[in-house]
Amino acid sequence: MNDKKRSIEEILITFPSAKRFSLAILQEVQKEYKYISPDNLKAISNYLAIPISDIFSMATYYKSLSLEKKGEFIIKVCDGTACHIRGSLSVLDEVKRALNINEGETTPDGLFSLEIVNCVGACAMAPVVICNQDYFGNVKLGKAKEIINSCVKAVD
Amino acid sequence: MKFTIDGLEISAEQDDTIMDASRRAEVFIPGLCYSSSTEPTHSCRLCMVEVEEKNSLRLVAACAYKVKENLKVVTTTERVSKVRKTILKHLYSMAPENPAIMELMNLYKIEKAPIIKEKKSHCILCGRCVKACEKLGISAISTVNRGVTKEINTPYGKPAEYCMGCGSCSEVCPTKCITIKDNEEGRTIWHKHFEWARCEKCGVIVTTKEHFANSNPNNTPVVCPVCKRRYMTDVFADTFGE
Ligand code: SF4
Ligand code: SF4
Ligand code: FES
Ligand code: FES
């Protein structure tokens, strides 16, 4: 997890310089740096020769892109109807307490961000918590900490 | 090419939309995002009319639908007024009491719905300003965010590097909601302050310094149109010894 990040130039060079790649590049930059920094925004705009305002517009439109640095692990607590009925808010509370942050925030060590999502299509196993690519279903009360720890371990 | 709007015959040119031709012929179809000089955004949907196709009527946006020979357009049907009413009410909720919207509400005798929330801006997100700035080759502004927080702004809400303070965005804005402050010293628009370029001969304001520099060759002296004409007359007088 601590291997060196690719530079913005290294990322850009893997894409042709054409407008239709703007979203793909933004996603790649988001993945690498966990956010779109002002400098990187400018670099993308220069590389594709499209106005900064256009790139900024995209960066603020898509939910998967952010202008503020997100954690290495993004914990999503589903609060869709099914999960809600099956106690997602208590799960959310637990996660909040475990990480000591609110939804939309990132821990000071830059490890975790917390988000609420609306139905991830896994209602049968409600309530659902997602950590990066991993889904956790039928989350019982008191399990939040365990889930968080297991994510960190899997990567270490 | 000829076609009719509510039975009235109108002529159109190749590639005209219904809106292009009707505005030229001074037949009024409402539309807040339309402008003959900038690229269309087709966003306000106020221009809905019906066209006759295969013996039935179809709702289309007048600013998007290309005129065909002998096309029949109708704007007085029940369906058109219903759609128009719904859209105007929606626009009213985005820009309550805005003069441009009120004018249309009054014209079509539409009652105001109670204002649910005071709006901090009367922007109806039509996108005309963005297109106007884009056409100038500047693109200093764009839509930012999505959903209820969507707005028009510069990147990061900071002074945009290339904005030249020309005011074109504000000029085309149908609801006149872009804050532009002009005084003796200069102009403030989009978080940025500009100094005036004043006529070297008489001192009147020509435009902002940046706008002048962007629209003239390097080192062009700032001279207002009036003084320029006077100056040219002097040159002629000198040359022809009158
Ligand atoms: S004032 Fe600035 S933002 Fe507005 S059209 Fe001119 S350059 Fe674009
Ligand atoms: S600021 Fe004016 S021109 Fe620009 S999108 Fe809003 S209403 Fe339209
Ligand atoms: S409501 Fe949570 S997965 Fe559907
Ligand atoms: S004028 Fe046609 S959609 Fe606005």
Side-chain angles (χ1 to χ4, degrees):
Chain A
M1 172 184 123
N2 287 322
D3 32 346
K4 224 172 129 287
K5 292 198 187 304
R6 286 184 294 160
S7 72
I8 182 73
E9 290 77 22
E10 282 172 296
I11 296 175
L12 289 174
I13 208 75
T14 58
F15 293 93
S17 165
K19 189 172 179 170
R20 65 181 186 281
F21 292 103
S22 40
L23 182 56
I25 295 177
L26 280 165
Q27 278 168 332
E28 204 56 32
V29 172
Q30 174 78 33
K31 213 163 103 199
E32 193 72 34
Y33 296 98
K34 311 298 170 197
Y35 79 126
I36 315 289
S37 72
D39 284 347
N40 287 346
L41 195 86
K42 208 166 180 175
I44 299 170
S45 137
N46 284 340
Y47 183 71
L48 299 177
I50 51 182
I52 287 202
S53 59
D54 278 0
I55 303 283
F56 188 81
S57 181
M58 280 184 113
T60 56
Y61 182 81
Y62 292 96
K63 219 176 167 178
S64 60
L65 304 172
S66 72
L67 298 176
E68 273 151 45
K69 196 161 175 146
K70 286 273 164 79
E72 293 290 331
F73 299 99
I74 300 185
I75 312 246
K76 293 178 180 155
V77 177
C78 179
D79 191 32
T81 314
C83 291
H84 187 85
I85 288 170
R86 304 194 59 177
S88 59
L89 288 184
S90 321
V91 175
L92 178 67
D93 266 347
E94 240 184 78
V95 180
K96 279 191 198 167
R97 248 180 290 123
L99 297 175
N100 207 7
I101 52 171
N102 280 315
E103 65 252 34
E105 294 179 354
T106 301
T107 53
D109 59 7
L111 223 44
F112 296 101
S113 293
L114 177 57
E115 284 170 12
I116 299 178
V117 292
N118 290 312
C119 192
V120 294
C123 306
M125 45 190 239
V128 178
V129 172
I130 305 160
C131 179
N132 288 0
Q133 319 302 344
D134 301 327
Y135 281 62
F136 300 86
N138 301 313
V139 177
K140 304 261 172 343
L141 272 188
K143 290 283 179 204
K145 251 210 161 97
E146 218 171 279
I147 291 176
I148 293 166
N149 289 338
S150 78
C151 298
V152 182
K153 270 208 205 83
V155 180
D156 269 351
Chain B
M1 199 169 16
K2 297 257 186 259
F3 75 110
T4 63
I5 299 182
D6 298 328
L8 187 76
E9 195 177 86
I10 287 178
S11 57
E13 281 160 27
Q14 190 67 33
D15 282 337
D16 263 356
T17 61
I18 299 173
M19 196 65 142
D20 293 328
S22 73
R23 286 281 160 108
R24 213 178 305 114
E26 291 175 17
V27 175
F28 184 71
I29 296 175
L32 287 176
C33 70
Y34 176 82
S35 149
S36 57
S37 58
T38 56
E39 233 182 276
T41 59
H42 312 301
S43 54
C44 75
R45 297 282 130 178
L46 245 186
C47 65
M48 299 304 283
V49 295
E50 291 201 87
V51 293
E52 201 180 276
E53 266 179 7
K54 299 184 194 105
N55 292 325
S56 71
L57 288 173
R58 187 160 83 91
L59 265 180
V60 298
C63 69
Y65 195 94
K66 295 252 167 80
V67 174
K68 293 177 218 143
E69 186 73 57
N70 295 328
L71 178 76
K72 273 202 188 99
V73 180
V74 281
T75 72
T76 49
T77 61
E78 182 84 6
R79 210 147 58 125
V80 169
S81 34
K82 224 166 141 184
V83 175
R84 193 178 277 160
K85 188 168 162 183
T86 313
I87 291 170
L88 267 173
K89 280 192 165 166
H90 172 66
L91 290 171
Y92 178 82
S93 73
M94 291 178 92
E97 301 296 325
N98 186 278
I101 312 245
M102 286 319 293
E103 197 187 318
L104 292 168
M105 299 268 285
N106 292 336
L107 178 64
Y108 297 113
K109 300 192 175 54
I110 295 165
E111 274 172 48
K112 302 188 268 188
I115 301 166
I116 306 163
K117 219 171 91 202
E118 270 305 322
K119 297 293 290 265
K120 79 174 192 291
S121 159
H122 276 182
C123 176
I124 56 167
L125 296 169
C126 70
R128 253 167 93 164
C129 51
V130 176
K131 288 289 176 208
C133 191
E134 183 184 308
K135 197 164 184 199
L136 294 164
I138 303 289
S139 286
I141 49 176
S142 63
T143 49
V144 174
N145 296 331
R146 64 176 171 272
V148 287
T149 59
K150 190 162 161 184
E151 59 170 12
I152 307 291
N153 211 333
T154 55
Y156 303 100
K158 293 213 178 104
E161 191 178 344
Y162 298 112
C163 175
M164 52 185 181
C166 66
S168 308
C169 49
S170 149
E171 234 160 78
V172 299
C173 176
T175 58
K176 293 285 167 268
C177 68
I178 297 175
T179 318
I180 176 165
K181 286 206 182 90
D182 288 354
N183 60 24
E184 274 303 298
E185 279 80 58
R187 160 177 293 171
T188 309
I189 186 170
W190 294 119
H191 329 289
K192 195 169 172 182
H193 185 77
F194 298 89
E195 279 175 28
W196 294 127
R198 287 177 180 271
C199 174
E200 285 168 10
K201 309 256 182 260
C202 70
V204 302
I205 294 168
V206 178
T207 178
T208 64
K209 283 188 174 157
E210 285 80 351
H211 184 208
F212 190 85
N214 265 346
S215 15
N216 292 282
N218 280 348
N219 304 319
T220 310
V222 184
V223 184
C224 72
V226 179
C227 290
K228 200 182 265 168
R229 220 173 300 128
R230 200 170 294 148
Y231 170 76
M232 289 309 280
T233 323
D234 287 351
V235 171
F236 277 126
D238 278 354
T239 321
F240 300 110
E242 279 167 28

Coordinates of all heavy atoms in Angstrom, one line a residue, chain A residues 36-39 41-42 51-54 56-58 60-63 67, chain B residues 134 138-147 150 153-157 161:
Chain A
I36 N -8.5 14.9 -6.7 CA -8.0 15.6 -7.9 C -7.4 16.9 -7.3 O -8.2 17.8 -7.0 CB -9.1 15.9 -8.9 CG1 -10.0 14.7 -9.2 CG2 -8.5 16.5 -10.2 CD1 -9.3 13.6 -9.9
S37 N -6.1 17.1 -7.3 CA -5.5 18.3 -6.8 C -5.6 19.4 -7.8 O -5.7 19.1 -9.0 CB -4.1 18.0 -6.4 OG -3.3 17.9 -7.5
P38 N -5.5 20.7 -7.4 CA -5.6 21.8 -8.3 C -4.4 21.6 -9.4 O -4.7 21.9 -10.6 CB -5.3 23.0 -7.5 CG -5.9 22.6 -6.1 CD -5.6 21.1 -6.0
D39 N -3.3 21.2 -9.0 CA -2.2 21.1 -9.9 C -2.4 20.0 -10.9 O -2.2 20.1 -12.1 CB -0.9 20.7 -9.2 CG -0.3 22.0 -8.5 OD1 -0.8 23.1 -8.8 OD2 0.6 21.8 -7.7
L41 N -5.4 18.9 -11.8 CA -6.5 19.4 -12.7 C -5.9 20.2 -13.8 O -6.3 20.1 -15.0 CB -7.4 20.3 -11.8 CG -8.8 20.6 -12.4 CD1 -9.7 19.4 -12.1 CD2 -9.3 21.9 -11.9
K42 N -5.0 21.1 -13.5 CA -4.3 21.9 -14.5 C -3.5 21.1 -15.5 O -3.6 21.3 -16.7 CB -3.4 22.9 -13.8 CG -3.2 24.2 -14.5 CD -2.6 25.2 -13.6 CE -2.5 26.5 -14.5 NZ -2.0 27.6 -13.7
P51 N -10.3 23.6 -21.6 CA -10.3 24.6 -20.5 C -10.4 23.9 -19.1 O -11.1 22.9 -19.0 CB -11.5 25.4 -20.8 CG -11.9 25.2 -22.2 CD -11.4 23.8 -22.6
I52 N -9.7 24.5 -18.2 CA -9.8 24.1 -16.8 C -11.2 24.0 -16.3 O -11.6 23.1 -15.6 CB -9.0 25.1 -15.9 CG1 -7.5 24.9 -16.1 CG2 -9.4 24.9 -14.4 CD1 -6.6 25.4 -15.0
S53 N -12.0 25.0 -16.7 CA -13.4 25.0 -16.3 C -14.2 23.8 -16.7 O -15.0 23.3 -15.9 CB -14.1 26.3 -16.8 OG -14.1 26.3 -18.2
D54 N -13.9 23.2 -17.8 CA -14.5 22.0 -18.3 C -14.1 20.8 -17.4 O -15.0 20.0 -17.0 CB -14.1 21.7 -19.7 CG -14.9 22.4 -20.7 OD1 -15.8 23.2 -20.3 OD2 -14.7 22.3 -21.9
F56 N -12.9 21.0 -14.4 CA -13.5 21.3 -13.0 C -14.9 20.9 -12.9 O -15.4 20.3 -12.0 CB -13.3 22.8 -12.7 CG -13.6 23.1 -11.3 CD1 -12.7 22.9 -10.2 CD2 -14.9 23.6 -10.9 CE1 -13.1 23.2 -8.9 CE2 -15.2 23.9 -9.6 CZ -14.3 23.7 -8.6
S57 N -15.7 21.2 -14.0 CA -17.1 20.9 -14.1 C -17.3 19.4 -13.9 O -18.1 18.9 -13.2 CB -17.6 21.4 -15.4 OG -19.0 21.1 -15.5
M58 N -16.5 18.6 -14.6 CA -16.6 17.1 -14.5 C -16.2 16.6 -13.2 O -16.8 15.8 -12.6 CB -15.6 16.5 -15.5 CG -16.1 16.4 -16.9 SD -14.9 15.6 -17.9 CE -15.8 14.1 -18.3
T60 N -16.5 18.0 -10.4 CA -17.4 18.3 -9.4 C -18.8 17.6 -9.7 O -19.7 17.6 -8.8 CB -17.7 19.8 -9.2 OG1 -18.1 20.3 -10.4 CG2 -16.5 20.5 -8.7
Y61 N -18.9 17.1 -10.9 CA -20.2 16.4 -11.2 C -20.2 15.0 -10.8 O -21.2 14.5 -10.2 CB -20.4 16.5 -12.8 CG -21.7 15.9 -13.2 CD1 -22.9 16.6 -13.1 CD2 -21.8 14.6 -13.7 CE1 -24.1 16.1 -13.5 CE2 -23.0 14.0 -14.0 CZ -24.1 14.8 -14.0 OH -25.3 14.2 -14.3
Y62 N -19.2 14.2 -11.0 CA -19.2 12.8 -10.7 C -18.9 12.5 -9.2 O -17.9 13.1 -8.7 CB -18.2 12.0 -11.6 CG -18.6 12.0 -13.0 CD1 -18.1 13.0 -13.9 CD2 -19.6 11.1 -13.5 CE1 -18.6 13.0 -15.2 CE2 -20.0 11.2 -14.8 CZ -19.5 12.1 -15.7 OH -19.9 12.1 -16.9
K63 N -19.7 11.7 -8.7 CA -19.6 11.4 -7.2 C -18.3 10.6 -6.9 O -17.8 10.7 -5.8 CB -20.8 10.6 -6.8 CG -21.3 11.0 -5.4 CD -22.5 10.3 -5.0 CE -22.7 10.5 -3.5 NZ -23.9 9.9 -3.0
L67 N -12.5 16.6 -4.8 CA -11.5 17.7 -4.8 C -10.7 17.6 -3.5 O -9.7 18.3 -3.4 CB -12.1 19.0 -5.0 CG -12.8 19.3 -6.3 CD1 -13.5 20.6 -6.4 CD2 -11.9 19.1 -7.5
Chain B
E134 N -17.5 30.5 -23.9 CA -16.8 29.5 -24.7 C -16.6 30.0 -26.2 O -15.6 29.9 -26.7 CB -17.7 28.2 -24.8 CG -17.1 27.1 -25.5 CD -18.1 25.9 -25.6 OE1 -18.6 25.5 -24.5 OE2 -18.4 25.4 -26.7
I138 N -12.7 31.7 -24.3 CA -12.2 31.9 -22.9 C -12.5 30.7 -22.0 O -11.7 30.1 -21.4 CB -12.7 33.2 -22.3 CG1 -12.3 34.4 -23.2 CG2 -12.2 33.4 -20.9 CD1 -10.8 34.8 -23.2
S139 N -13.8 30.4 -22.0 CA -14.3 29.3 -21.1 C -13.8 29.5 -19.7 O -13.2 28.6 -19.1 CB -13.9 27.9 -21.6 OG -14.6 27.6 -22.7
A140 N -14.1 30.6 -19.1 CA -13.7 30.9 -17.7 C -14.7 30.3 -16.7 O -14.4 30.0 -15.6 CB -13.6 32.4 -17.5
I141 N -16.0 30.0 -17.2 CA -17.0 29.5 -16.3 C -17.6 28.2 -16.8 O -17.5 27.9 -18.0 CB -18.1 30.6 -16.1 CG1 -18.6 31.1 -17.5 CG2 -17.7 31.7 -15.2 CD1 -19.7 32.1 -17.5
S142 N -18.2 27.5 -15.9 CA -18.9 26.2 -16.3 C -19.9 25.9 -15.2 O -19.9 26.5 -14.2 CB -17.8 25.1 -16.5 OG -17.2 24.9 -15.2
T143 N -20.6 24.8 -15.5 CA -21.5 24.3 -14.4 C -20.6 23.6 -13.4 O -19.7 22.8 -13.8 CB -22.6 23.4 -14.9 OG1 -22.0 22.4 -15.7 CG2 -23.6 24.1 -15.7
V144 N -20.9 23.8 -12.1 CA -20.2 23.2 -11.1 C -21.1 22.4 -10.2 O -22.3 22.8 -10.0 CB -19.5 24.3 -10.3 CG1 -18.8 23.8 -9.0 CG2 -18.5 25.1 -11.1
N145 N -20.7 21.3 -9.7 CA -21.5 20.4 -8.8 C -22.7 19.8 -9.6 O -22.8 20.0 -10.8 CB -22.1 21.1 -7.6 CG -20.9 21.6 -6.7 OD1 -19.9 20.9 -6.6 ND2 -21.2 22.7 -6.0
R146 N -23.5 19.1 -8.9 CA -24.7 18.4 -9.5 C -25.9 18.6 -8.6 O -25.7 18.9 -7.4 CB -24.4 16.9 -9.8 CG -24.2 16.2 -8.5 CD -24.0 14.7 -8.7 NE -23.6 14.2 -7.4 CZ -22.3 14.2 -6.9 NH1 -21.4 14.6 -7.7 NH2 -22.1 13.8 -5.7
G147 N -27.0 18.2 -9.1 CA -28.2 18.2 -8.3 C -28.6 19.6 -7.8 O -28.4 20.6 -8.4
K150 N -26.0 22.5 -7.9 CA -25.4 22.8 -9.2 C -25.5 24.4 -9.4 O -26.5 25.0 -9.1 CB -26.3 22.1 -10.3 CG -25.7 22.2 -11.7 CD -26.3 21.1 -12.5 CE -26.2 21.4 -14.0 NZ -26.9 20.3 -14.7
N153 N -20.1 28.7 -12.1 CA -19.1 29.4 -11.4 C -17.7 29.2 -12.1 O -17.6 28.5 -13.1 CB -19.0 28.9 -9.9 CG -18.5 29.9 -9.0 OD1 -17.8 30.9 -9.3 ND2 -18.9 29.8 -7.7
T154 N -16.7 29.9 -11.6 CA -15.4 29.7 -12.1 C -14.8 28.5 -11.3 O -15.3 28.1 -10.2 CB -14.5 30.9 -11.8 OG1 -14.6 31.2 -10.4 CG2 -15.0 32.1 -12.5
P155 N -13.7 27.9 -11.8 CA -13.1 26.8 -11.0 C -12.7 27.2 -9.6 O -12.2 28.3 -9.4 CB -11.9 26.4 -11.8 CG -12.2 26.8 -13.2 CD -13.0 28.0 -13.1
Y156 N -13.1 26.5 -8.6 CA -12.8 26.7 -7.2 C -13.5 28.0 -6.7 O -13.2 28.5 -5.6 CB -11.3 26.8 -6.9 CG -10.6 25.5 -7.3 CD1 -9.9 25.5 -8.5 CD2 -10.7 24.4 -6.5 CE1 -9.2 24.3 -8.9 CE2 -10.0 23.2 -6.9 CZ -9.3 23.2 -8.1 OH -8.7 22.0 -8.5
G157 N -14.4 28.6 -7.5 CA -15.0 29.9 -7.1 C -14.0 31.0 -6.9 O -14.2 32.0 -6.2
E161 N -8.2 32.7 -14.3 CA -7.1 33.3 -15.0 C -7.4 34.0 -16.3 O -6.9 35.1 -16.5 CB -6.1 32.1 -15.3 CG -4.7 32.6 -15.7 CD -3.8 31.4 -15.9 OE1 -4.1 30.2 -15.5 OE2 -2.8 31.6 -16.6

